[in-house]
Amino acid sequence: MNILILGGGGREHSIAWATKQNPKCDRLIVAPGNAGIAQIAWCAALDIEDGAAVVQFCIENSVDMVIVGPEAPLAAGVADAVRAAGVLCLGPSAAAARLEASKAFTKEVCDAANVPTAAWARFTEAAPAKAHIRSHGAPIVVKADGLAAGKGVVVAETLEQAEMAIDEMFGGAFGAAGAEVVIEEFMAGEEASFFVLCDGEDALPIGTAQDHKRIGEGDTGPNTGGMGAYSPAPVLTAELQHQVMERIVRPTLAEMARRGTPYSGVLYVGLMIENGQARLVEYNVRFGDPECQALMMRLGAQAFDAMHACAEGRLNDARIDWADDHAMTVVMATQGYPGAYQKGSAIGGLETLPETSWQMMFHAGTAEAAGQTVASGGRVLNATARAPGLRDARDAAYALLDQVSWPEGTFRRDIGWRALG
Ligand code: AMP
Ligand code: GLY
């Protein structure tokens, strides 16, 4: 098969790495890709949010299947366009991608399907939103309704913080994404993510993970896209996974089908767990980044079989062969991230790193310049490793980072602290 992956981060490098190992893969293309992906695939220049351009590219290059990495092309309807052209696609329709693109939409679906989640209310004006906050008290959670690159959520510890967030959102800090605001009850507990492939009817769990969103050690400082992740998430026991499938995933899929917008693709189920009960925090309509890197390291080549079965709507007879293993990925970022940072610094030591089914350095934000690999983004490298135990996986991931010489780079030394105790 000729396979096109849309995206250019560590998530897409790990998907490409797993797909490339599958005998079904003849030609692998990634758009736009990055310097690491370029070593295993053809990196094509393509506007990945332009459905017509993606379809044209598929026809010209005899692409059999498209895997969509990030949410923006999905919200823009790229999966609809690809499927309409008769090409297989992993990723939901724009209508189903509203599970990530609109928080109020997700809450409506949860209410209709009786899915356990935080109590909520929606507002289009500041005064009633503030009155709601005052009557409920802090802590309380304020969210811009639309896509805000992970920045549109404020977990307010005080009423003042919550009111400031309201003013910011209605003041246009997130553009159109903040025209509507959702206010939620604060949920205490431990967070974890659960990943399922869905084909409209059936759902196949493909792993659990926990990530570290804050920049600083001890989970302190500003939020980032994620500074590291590990899989499995110990808090998501087999019993809890069953509970999540029965009370959250299946009712949501049934409600989406009932609305005439069945969900097909990867569903990222963000959960809060307290006292043995899981509640939904959010859905994303794609793999998490960097959670995906840990999942792909564990799944290897069979990840593509599962994604292929999903795109063809035959998940009912798909299965995963699980090894009793653990994976961890540690993000190396440019100093300054998630604030302002410089691009273009040279990264040394990458050529001699081991590349095995146990240890891989996935590239997130790298480019090739004058024969050198340089940093081209905030999150730049994802040191990823797998082992029978999490401690060994962690040591192997950090061992990769020790071999990188990049003075402008930084990483957290404590990824996995919660699970490792
Ligand atoms: P979201 O983009 O909706 O996942 O929110 C980002 C982060 O904010 C989540 O990963 C949680 O850490 C936190 N969060 C969101 N909603 C809630 C809530 N209702 N209660 C507590 N924390 C929340
Ligand atoms: N790591 C969080 C996300 O991908 O949304």
Side-chain angles (χ1 to χ4, degrees):
M1 294 174 71
N2 296 332
I3 300 156
L4 169 65
I5 299 172
L6 303 184
R11 168 179 52 205
E12 289 76 22
H13 191 183
S14 69
I15 296 170
W17 171 83
T19 299
K20 180 88 180 174
Q21 295 170 46
N22 192 297
K24 285 181 187 157
C25 177
D26 294 313
R27 186 158 187 238
L28 186 60
I29 313 168
V30 184
N34 61 39
I37 295 172
Q39 292 169 19
I40 58 168
W42 171 36
C43 291
L46 174 62
D47 179 355
I48 65 169
E49 292 178 32
D50 178 342
V54 173
V55 166
Q56 177 76 20
F57 183 91
C58 288
I59 294 167
E60 282 168 6
N61 294 282
S62 308
V63 169
D64 300 299
M65 177 167 157
V66 177
I67 299 171
V68 185
E71 63 277 15
L74 296 166
V78 167
D80 304 76
V82 168
R83 271 192 284 267
V87 177
L88 289 174
C89 188
L90 184 84
S93 65
R98 291 190 75 205
L99 284 179
E100 176 165 356
S102 167
K103 298 195 185 287
F105 173 80
T106 299
K107 289 299 215 177
E108 280 176 358
V109 169
C110 286
D111 285 354
N114 208 13
V115 166
T117 183
W120 69 291
R122 66 201 295 177
F123 298 93
T124 50
E125 283 175 63
K130 288 183 182 175
H132 178 89
I133 285 170
R134 282 192 293 270
S135 73
H136 282 75
I140 195 159
V141 182
V142 181
K143 301 184 174 183
D145 177 66
L147 291 178
K151 298 187 183 81
V153 174
V154 175
V155 180
E157 274 150 38
T158 64
L159 289 180
E160 292 69 40
Q161 282 171 5
E163 295 197 12
M164 248 167 62
I166 294 288
D167 285 332
E168 248 178 58
M169 288 178 194
F170 286 127
F174 301 105
E180 183 162 19
V181 165
V182 168
I183 299 178
E184 287 184 14
E185 163 201 5
F186 171 79
M187 293 189 284
E190 186 168 350
E191 269 190 275
S193 318
F194 185 55
F195 295 87
V196 264
L197 290 173
C198 310
D199 66 6
E201 290 173 25
D202 291 297
L204 178 72
I206 50 167
T208 62
Q210 279 177 294
D211 80 336
H212 294 267
K213 289 210 171 68
R214 306 297 191 97
I215 187 74
E217 286 171 10
D219 295 321
T220 56
N223 258 314
T224 71
M227 293 304 292
Y230 50 95
S231 171
V235 64
L236 280 175
T237 57
E239 190 189 332
L240 258 174
Q241 289 181 50
H242 180 76
Q243 183 193 108
V244 171
M245 286 300 286
E246 296 313 311
R247 296 201 199 149
I248 298 180
V249 175
R250 291 195 200 283
T252 299
L253 294 184
E255 174 62 17
M256 292 298 285
R258 193 193 64 76
R259 289 171 178 239
T261 53
Y263 188 88
S264 145
V266 184
L267 189 63
Y268 169 139
V269 187
L271 299 163
M272 190 69 80
I273 292 130
E274 195 188 25
N275 302 326
Q277 300 297 314
R279 288 201 281 172
L280 183 78
V281 177
E282 63 162 345
Y283 283 126
N284 291 315
V285 297
R286 48 165 176 87
F287 283 111
D289 186 343
E291 295 93 326
C292 184
Q293 291 82 313
L295 296 180
M296 289 299 140
M297 178 112 274
R298 294 185 66 207
L299 293 167
Q302 64 176 327
F304 181 74
D305 291 323
M307 291 188 281
H308 186 208
C310 180
E312 287 192 329
R314 42 178 186 80
L315 279 179
N316 60 332
D317 59 21
R319 49 166 303 182
I320 301 288
D321 288 320
W322 289 108
D324 193 9
D325 60 1
H326 295 255
M328 182 180 287
T329 186
V330 181
V331 173
M332 196 169 189
T334 308
Q335 279 171 27
Y337 173 82
Y341 58 85
Q342 294 219 310
K343 292 186 184 181
S345 51
I347 306 169
L350 297 173
E351 305 73 23
T352 51
L353 292 178
E355 295 191 346
T356 70
S357 62
W358 297 93
Q359 241 182 340
M360 268 300 297
M361 182 67 85
F362 295 121
H363 289 217
T366 62
E368 210 60 33
Q372 271 191 316
T373 303
V374 300
S376 63
R379 293 189 294 170
V380 174
L381 296 169
N382 308 142
T384 311
R386 179 168 73 95
L390 185 59
R391 208 167 288 278
D392 288 337
R394 176 194 60 184
D395 292 348
Y398 280 104
L400 284 174
L401 288 174
D402 287 340
Q403 297 169 64
V404 173
S405 56
W406 178 33
E408 293 82 0
T410 178
F411 55 88
R412 279 179 59 169
R413 296 228 163 241
D414 65 343
I415 301 304
W417 66 268
R418 199 185 293 275
L420 290 164

